[in-house]
């Protein structure tokens, strides 16, 4: 099939690469010339493993001109929906894409909305600018750093729209649904296609992210309580993993969840509930807890470190496996410590520099970041931080405090290396 993807961002390019690898003829429409030229050179501005190579190998065509939409059997809307000042998704770009699609698309074209949009958006487009076409909500569940894996081998495909669109939709995703003839092997079993109303599919995306964020906020509360009552957080949480109703993932405590999705989607879900006159108590508590998780950790550092002191921070990305610092708890921590007069020097395996970030000085190695520091603070769950030579690190720091914001270090190994260990809530030996 001929596919036109509007928006060469994270979702658009992952979708384009995967559908092209499945044998479709895919064109990406991108109006930002800098981003367009980088993709054309095979230079990935997102740093997603394997994405640029797959786009080139699958011959995805990048164009600035929306007129290519006229040739498409399927048009995918994958433009950004950033939060406005009240946390509501700004769908200006979605509406602009709809105008272009309405102008150029053929009558039998299927429109898939992959952007994360407020409930009711697809119905509004179907009854408005796109009334002559078929509009389907098709949210994505891609994790940064694992986007191609999650796109080729999804746990489920969620879609919602007019029933007569389901056939063409499933034809588009045939090889992914059947889990065959895919780069990187076969899945072996069919992927369930969960066809529902457009509103349901739109809410399903927020529900998934909202639940995962709420699970993490609960996990972080249990970790805080464990440290406070002298229990071992990893033992308590590890025991939960064996309950299939809970599952082993998203059980690792830390100084909070961040990134370009969880903070945005939880606030959007809260705004959607508010707009519908619904008081979403549990979600509000999860968002509040996440804010407190960071400020509690920062306060423990501020109390213990000499005024005007220096903190050697390990980690800048919002999570391990990516260079993305958008809504990163590590950056928020650096800003908070800097606002209290402390100096922050940091190392991150994937982030060698940060533009316009005066509150943190990036250093090339762990030792450089911690040399002469009054305290060390682990802020991102990079696996290499769990195997640092703590004795060697202690020999270069001025102070003996180690704040483990990602529960990577065993307190006993920190103490044996000469550190005073501090956990998420500042408790330690
Ligand atoms: C998320 C959703 O997982 C994905 O399905 C959706 O499409 C986009 O948003 P992503 O933003 O890449 O993906 O982040 P994710 O890997 O889910 O991690 C989110 C945050 O939770 C990160 O800050 C991470 O550090 C934190 N986290 C995750 C924990 O603190 N503990 C865990 O056990 C897992």
């Amino acid at each position: 099939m001929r596919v036109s993807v509007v928006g060469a961002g994270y979702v658009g390019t992952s979708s384009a690469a995967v559908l092209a690898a499945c044998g479709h003829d895919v064109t990406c429409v991108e109006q930002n010339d800098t981003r367009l030229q980088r993709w054309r050179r095979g230079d990935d501005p997102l740093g997603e493993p394997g994405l640029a190579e797959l786009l080139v190998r699958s011959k995805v065509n990048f164009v600035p001109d929306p007129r290519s939409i006229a040739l498409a059997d399927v048009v995918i809307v994958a433009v950004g929906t950033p939060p406005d000042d009240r946390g509501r998704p700004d769908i200006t770009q979605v509406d602009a894409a709809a105008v272009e699609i309405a102008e150029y698309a053929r009558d039998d074209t299927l429109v898939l909305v992959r952007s994360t949009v407020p409930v009711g958006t697809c119905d509004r487009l179907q009854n408005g600018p796109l009334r002559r076409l078929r509009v389907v909500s098709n949210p994505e569940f891609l994790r940064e750093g694992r986007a191609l894996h999650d796109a080729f081998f999804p746990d489920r495909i969620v879609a919602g729209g007019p029933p007569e669109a389901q056939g063409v939709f499933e034809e588009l995703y045939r090889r992914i649904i059947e889990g065959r003839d895919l780069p990187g092997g076969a899945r072996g079993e069919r992927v369930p296609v969960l066809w529902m109303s457009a509103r349901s599919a739109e809410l399903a995306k927020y529900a998934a992210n909202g639940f995962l964020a709420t699970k993490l906020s609960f996990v972080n509360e249990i970790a805080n309580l464990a440290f406070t009552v002298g229990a071992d957080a990893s033992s308590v949480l590890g025991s939960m993993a064996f309950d299939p109703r809970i599952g082993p993932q998203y059980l690792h405590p830390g100084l909070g969840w961040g990134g370009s999705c969880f903070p945005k989607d939880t606030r959007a879900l809260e705004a959607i509930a508010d707009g519908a006159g619904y008081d979403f108590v549990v979600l509000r508590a999860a968002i509040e807890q996440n804010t407190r998780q960071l400020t509690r950790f920062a306060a423990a550092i501020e109390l213990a470190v000499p005024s005007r002191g220096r903190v050697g921070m390990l980690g800048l990305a919002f999570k391990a496996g990516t260079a993305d610092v958008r809504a990163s708890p590590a950056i928020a921590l650096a800003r908070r410590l800097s606002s209290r007069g402390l100096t922050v020097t940091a190392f991150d395996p994937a982030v060698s520099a940060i533009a316009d970030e005066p509150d943190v000085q990036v250093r090339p190695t762990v030792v450089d970041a911690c040399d002469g520091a009054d305290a060390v603070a682990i802020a991102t769950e990079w696996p290499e931080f769990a195997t640092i030579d703590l004795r060697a690190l202690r020999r270069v720091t001025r102070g003996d405090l180690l704040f483990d914001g990602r529960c990577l270090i065993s307190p006993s190994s920190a103490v044996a290396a000469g550190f005073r260990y501090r956990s998420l809530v500042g408790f330690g030996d």
Side-chain angles (χ1 to χ4, degrees):
M1 300 168 87
R2 287 170 300 187
V3 180
S4 181
V5 178
V6 180
Y10 182 71
V11 175
T13 50
S14 301
S15 303
V18 166
L19 290 171
C22 290
H24 298 296
D25 173 7
V26 182
T27 295
C28 243
V29 181
E30 172 55 60
Q31 63 187 10
N32 178 302
D33 188 55
T34 304
R35 179 177 280 193
L36 178 71
Q37 297 312 327
R38 287 190 69 174
W39 283 123
R40 279 178 164 172
R41 294 197 304 271
D43 172 19
D44 174 1
L46 305 174
E48 186 63 33
L51 180 55
E53 298 81 357
L54 184 58
L55 284 163
V56 171
R57 193 164 67 245
S58 308
K59 298 182 176 48
V60 172
N61 189 21
F62 286 89
V63 299
D65 188 337
R67 278 176 297 186
S68 58
I69 290 171
L71 304 174
D73 304 306
V74 176
V75 180
I76 293 178
V77 177
V79 295
T81 54
D84 66 17
D85 53 2
R86 290 169 56 192
R88 297 170 307 182
D90 176 352
I91 55 173
T92 308
Q93 296 178 56
V94 172
D95 287 336
V99 169
E100 289 181 342
I101 294 166
E103 183 174 354
Y104 296 112
R106 303 193 318 265
D107 282 358
D108 61 344
T109 301
L110 178 64
V111 179
L112 302 190
V113 178
R114 302 222 78 192
S115 301
T116 304
V117 293
V119 175
T121 300
C122 288
D123 283 352
R124 180 172 59 79
L125 296 177
Q126 180 70 84
N127 300 323
L130 302 181
R131 70 177 64 81
R132 111 187 123 80
L133 308 172
R134 291 164 298 167
V135 181
V136 170
S137 168
N138 175 215
E140 47 76 28
F141 301 93
L142 310 178
R143 287 166 291 176
E144 288 201 30
R146 296 178 51 86
L148 291 184
H149 171 274
D150 291 347
F152 276 119
F153 305 105
D155 302 314
R156 77 289 201 192
I157 292 175
V158 172
E164 66 272 14
Q166 186 169 355
V168 176
F169 176 86
E170 295 198 359
E171 186 50 37
L172 176 75
Y173 283 108
R174 173 75 49 221
R175 285 170 56 176
I176 291 174
I177 292 166
E178 294 174 359
R180 60 173 178 79
D181 300 335
L182 298 171
R187 180 190 175 91
E189 74 264 2
R190 282 180 73 84
V191 176
V193 176
L194 310 177
W195 193 268
M196 55 191 76
S197 70
R199 287 173 177 269
S200 303
E202 289 163 338
L203 185 56
K205 164 70 178 181
Y206 287 112
N209 274 5
F211 180 81
L212 290 169
T214 302
K215 179 178 183 182
L216 283 173
S217 288
F218 183 84
V219 161
N220 288 335
E221 295 268 63
I222 288 292
N224 296 343
L225 182 59
F227 287 123
T228 307
V229 299
D232 176 58
S234 60
S235 302
V236 173
L237 296 166
S239 72
M240 293 164 69
F242 287 88
D243 185 328
R245 297 167 300 175
I246 298 173
Q249 299 191 50
Y250 289 70
L251 283 180
H252 194 85
L255 59 88
W257 37 264
S260 62
C261 291
F262 277 10
K264 167 177 73 73
D265 289 354
T266 49
R267 288 181 68 201
L269 183 55
E270 189 180 24
I272 289 166
D274 285 349
Y278 184 77
D279 183 13
F280 203 147
V281 176
V282 172
L283 182 68
R284 191 167 63 248
I287 296 169
E288 167 61 25
Q289 195 285 334
N290 196 53
T291 302
R292 272 198 235 169
Q293 191 71 2
L294 186 103
T295 49
R296 183 187 288 122
F297 185 71
I301 296 173
E302 290 151 21
L303 278 175
V305 170
S307 61
R308 322 300 299 170
R310 180 153 66 85
V311 176
M313 195 167 80
L314 302 185
L316 289 166
F318 84 89
K319 68 171 182 178
T322 178
D324 194 346
V325 293
R326 289 176 294 173
S328 168
I331 300 292
L333 176 63
R335 288 177 182 156
R336 162 73 188 253
L337 296 177
S338 174
S339 72
R340 296 300 195 279
L342 298 177
T343 299
V344 179
T345 49
F347 166 76
D348 185 291
V351 183
S352 55
I354 306 182
D356 309 324
E357 194 53 68
D359 294 324
V360 62
Q361 300 167 33
V362 184
R363 294 284 188 273
T365 67
V366 169
V367 169
D368 287 333
C370 300
D371 189 7
D374 297 291
V376 175
I378 299 176
T380 305
E381 67 277 30
W382 286 102
E384 48 263 61
F385 294 159
T387 56
I388 287 174
D389 179 343
L390 293 174
R391 292 182 190 279
L393 190 63
R394 181 65 189 90
R395 284 196 290 273
V396 300
T397 61
R398 179 164 64 183
D400 63 351
L401 282 164
L402 172 62
F403 290 87
D404 185 2
R406 290 292 176 185
C407 301
L408 294 180
I409 307 288
S410 73
S412 56
S413 59
V415 171
F419 283 105
R420 282 184 290 152
Y421 180 87
R422 291 295 180 268
S423 65
L424 293 170
V425 289
F427 286 75
D429 43 65

